[in-house]
Amino acid sequence: MHYIVITGGVISGLGKGTITSGLSYLLKNSGFNVTNIKIDPYLNYDAGTMNPYQHGEVFVLDDGGEVDLDLGNYERFLDTSLTSNNNITTGKIYKEVIEKERRGDYLGSTVQIIPHITNEIKNRIMKAAKGYDIALIEVGGTVGDIESMPFLEALRQMKSERNDEIIFGHVTLIPESGNEQKTKPTQHSVKELRAIGIQPDLLFCRSEHPLNNESRKKISLFTDVRESGIISAYNVENVYSVPDLMEKQHILDRIKELYGMEDHRFNYTLENFVKNIKNPRETVSVGVIGKYIDMHDAYISHKEAFSHVTGNTGIAVNIKWIDSDNLIKTAEDLNGLDGILIPGGFGYRGVEGKIIAAKYARDNNIPYLGICLGFQVSIIEISRNLLGLKKANSTEFDPETEYPVIDILPEQKNIKDLGGTMRLGSKKVLIHDNTIAKSLYQKNIIYERHRHRFEVNPEYIKSLENSGIIFSGTDEEKIRMEIMELKNRDNYIATQYHAEFKSRPLNPSKVHLYFIKKSLEYKKANGGKIYERNIE
Ligand code: GLN
């Protein structure tokens, strides 16, 4: 068993997740059985209750785990499905230790950070790593944070207990002043790491331009990291270039040397994919209508799903982030789009703007993709405008609405806690014949990831169908609506599930792929045409 621990220094947001994922990709494609563990030192039990505006998207796993968005990056690079055990938080560790204490498991001893918390951390790491050749462990936050201390202490202990099995990699920043690369922050950050007893074996230096030889030598001298272990992780336009960038600096050779491993042959599968991303043959402009639009990470899995489409088709997606609240005042932001995506979301703010966008897409024949809340918004919009139920709404936004076309799931009615209580994770979806959905998935049963409390109210299904909606995907009992299309439209599709969570570089989400192809068709047929919104 081998572990590679990745820590970060100097500042947050250096792209540790991308480096960890890129390294996982290299190792996996060298024949190792690889897994990833993310340590989040916050006290939240999981990411489920966290605001996407602060932390970015809440990613959902097959097992229903609501986790940090880095798990999404790992899954995409490793092309695998992870579990909730792959995300360790301070909240999970303390909850477990306190529960054990209450049960009397510690037999009267004083329960302390060392050894009780650190032992719990080590146990969780080893449990998640079991059965793999290599586990990459990314420690969230920045070295020196109080929150991450128990985790780094546990990892330090692991190193002294199983020396040959553990490598430490540290991600740091090399600021540039004019032409000069500044190594001092890196020196200090490594010093901080060494003060807690950890000597890095690898350094990933984040900088605008490639690290020059002089800086590399200097860093090596001050940090005791061999030059061959210093990787220049300079800025590149897309994350899928990162594995190649690291491999060109022979990182695998250095890792094998550190581990005393035999040679493995590396197989690069992303060559054409990256070529398409770098030199796309076409571009479409797609509007993403949301309320967290300043925080693009809140919709990272959609962004990634689009880059998967680009990598496979050569159609680049120029995303226009549109604030749904603005649409209430003017629909100007919707001009010139080749497609409209309404992603998931919670709470009433922004919903009326999304309803306007959905109507605009339907009125003007603009390709439309609705996901989760975007699916529910379509139902509300069509109920109001085609069924004439003027005040139709979801009971999430108006509990007293006369026409509750979207209503709380029956199993959700008596739940009080907000964390981890939605309809979560992988669920079976039945695809009906002779539909767009069937032509995309080419099978009648698929499994997709969910995260919702509300759904189409079964009482309205018949009238919605009469208004021209085709429910092309449902649950097995055909009570829960999962996919909708429109009669007479081949460029409008919405799903209650989150198709973006299972999109992979070499296997893009089917609905995202379809939506972008339709957007290109639309652009070719109508390019540049500007519509006036019907104002009622
Ligand atoms: N707020 C809606 C619900 O709970 C949609 C959730 C989502 O978009 N993830 O059903």
Side-chain angles (χ1 to χ4, degrees), residues 456-504:
V456 177
N457 184 341
E459 285 174 26
Y460 289 88
I461 292 173
K462 268 271 141 319
S463 17
L464 287 164
E465 283 173 340
N466 290 338
S467 78
I469 291 180
I470 298 166
F471 289 111
S472 53
T474 60
D475 71 345
E476 260 177 318
E477 284 79 43
K478 304 195 178 167
I479 295 172
R480 239 166 223 170
M481 301 301 107
E482 290 275 9
I483 312 177
M484 64 163 285
E485 304 168 10
L486 294 180
K487 250 180 232 158
N488 312 324
R489 274 288 285 271
D490 69 349
N491 61 3
Y492 191 110
I493 193 159
T495 67
Q496 180 61 74
Y497 56 82
H498 288 269
E500 72 277 20
F501 288 147
K502 280 179 58 173
S503 187
R504 296 287 160 78

Side-chain angles (χ1 to χ4, degrees), residues 58-77:
V58 178
F59 191 75
V60 181
L61 301 171
D62 277 343
D63 69 5
E66 299 173 275
V67 293
D68 185 84
L69 58 83
D70 273 321
L71 278 276
N73 287 326
Y74 307 155
E75 281 199 344
R76 291 184 276 264
F77 274 98

Side-chain angles (χ1 to χ4, degrees), residues 343-347 371-374 376 394 396-397 406-407 409 422 450-455 496 498:
F346 293 84
I371 300 277
C372 204
L373 179 63
Q376 299 174 358
S394 162
E396 178 181 9
F397 314 130
I406 304 290
D407 197 11
L409 294 160
M422 279 181 264
H450 294 73
R451 183 172 189 250
H452 64 128
R453 264 194 194 92
F454 296 82
E455 66 177 347
Q496 180 61 74
H498 288 269

Side-chain angles (χ1 to χ4, degrees), residues 90 139 192 200 203 207 224 257 280 332 340 346 349 519:
T90 300
V139 185
E192 185 102 35
L203 288 178
S207 55
D224 283 342
E257 191 181 10
E332 237 170 62
I340 290 178
F346 293 84
R349 188 175 76 74
S519 299

